[in-house]
Amino acid sequence: MDLTEFGTKVEQAVQEIETVIVGKQETVRLVLVALLCNGHVLIEDIPGVGKTMLARAVAKVLGCSFKRLQFTPDLLPADITGTAVYNQKTGEFEFRPGPVFANIALADEINRATPKTQSALLECMEESQVTSDGVTYQLPRPFFVVATENNIELHGTYPLPEAQLDRFWLKLSMGYPSREDEMAILTRQADHHPVETVRAVLEVRQILDMQERVKHIHLDPKIGAYIVDLVGATRAHPKASLGASPRGSLCLMHSCRALAAMSGREYVLPDDVKELAKPVLAHRVLLRPEARARDYTSAQLVQEAMDSVPVPVLE
């Protein structure tokens, strides 16, 4: 697939998703960046701003299978991955796949499940496979997890530890819509929900081709050094007790390639790094207690790291 067709397909997908998710083009594009990098997304925000609907719309527009996993405290790992069921006719146990066997899996309110159940999903994300009774089952390709959690309730929740947060490619927040966008939402949903009429603009085969195409976007060694220095600056920052991991460097590199391809470019620019640094790195940084006590955020730390690292000049 050439980059002209690549960019056209992405823009068609963004426009179609925006008929459902109004005024959140940046968030939609970042979700597609993670998908094109074969990564996963965590969306943390208040209830009712469209986190679940975004996942449904993305699945329909991309022509992918979609399953929703509602996380609750009594959810077991087998409820996600599947379990072996005894067949009386054959006298053997047969594996029945769980809801994770889909192209796009929505892990709704992931922080409500126990750490053991959370880990079962994170294993699927990392390995793209499920192992049951010693037998390994490959998950469908592409496999994309959109996990959601709200940030206003603490009772009955199990927050994801930093080691598990690092598994997510991006961490996003949607926020309230503007007045004009909220008026548009009321108008569009007056008699039906627009997600019912969303059309598919891509196929699974095309998505896999696009994921391969992203891997061939050129990354100048100066950009690579810029990414490494930026991640290193988060580790050396005085307000960080734990900086971004090497996985963060890799995720930032691949994300920049995806963003460049979406923009119709064969090469990565420093501006791509600046645009993606916060959503890729901020959730990988652990602040010192005194910084958190002053309402200092990880996003501020990443911004200060960007301000301290010289931007490379490309010929």
Side-chain angles (χ1 to χ4, degrees), residues 103-285:
N103 293 125
I104 297 181
L106 170 64
D108 211 6
E109 296 189 279
I110 188 174
N111 57 328
R112 290 196 176 278
T114 61
K116 182 177 181 179
T117 304
Q118 292 175 6
S119 298
L121 177 65
L122 293 169
E123 181 183 2
C124 298
M125 292 164 50
E126 188 74 13
E127 307 295 337
S128 294
Q129 64 185 29
V130 168
T131 301
S132 177
D133 293 332
V135 181
T136 299
Y137 304 90
Q138 294 294 324
L139 293 170
R141 296 182 62 220
F143 177 62
F144 182 51
V145 172
V146 179
T148 70
E149 61 180 11
N150 72 68
N151 54 0
I152 62 172
E153 295 182 15
L154 296 177
H155 180 69
T157 62
Y158 303 85
L160 291 171
E162 284 70 23
Q164 293 183 355
L165 281 174
D166 197 50
R167 302 285 185 91
F168 285 95
W169 205 269
L170 303 172
K171 184 180 179 182
L172 307 175
S173 178
M174 299 186 70
Y176 286 120
S178 66
R179 184 179 185 276
E180 294 74 16
D181 291 337
E182 195 159 359
M183 289 293 294
I185 292 171
L186 296 182
T187 302
R188 295 182 187 185
Q189 298 189 28
D191 53 1
H192 74 284
H193 201 293
V195 77
E196 299 170 2
T197 56
V198 165
R199 64 185 180 89
V201 301
L202 282 167
E203 301 174 355
V204 169
R205 173 186 55 80
Q206 292 175 311
I207 296 171
L208 296 176
D209 289 344
M210 294 168 79
Q211 289 178 338
E212 287 298 317
R213 185 68 180 85
V214 164
K215 297 176 183 178
H216 297 92
I217 297 299
H218 176 67
L219 184 84
D220 191 281
K222 292 182 180 179
I223 300 291
Y226 180 47
I227 291 173
V228 171
D229 291 342
L230 175 57
V231 172
T234 68
R235 300 169 189 164
H237 197 286
K239 294 181 180 177
S241 63
L242 186 69
S245 64
R247 183 188 280 131
S249 302
L250 289 168
C251 289
L252 186 54
M253 176 188 71
H254 292 303
S255 298
C256 290
R257 282 176 161 174
L259 187 61
M262 290 167 61
S263 304
R265 282 184 277 108
E266 287 278 5
Y267 50 88
V268 175
L269 293 175
D271 286 344
D272 298 326
V273 181
K274 293 180 181 179
E275 182 174 346
L276 292 167
K278 289 181 183 178
V280 173
L281 300 179
H283 65 287
R284 306 175 193 274
V285 174

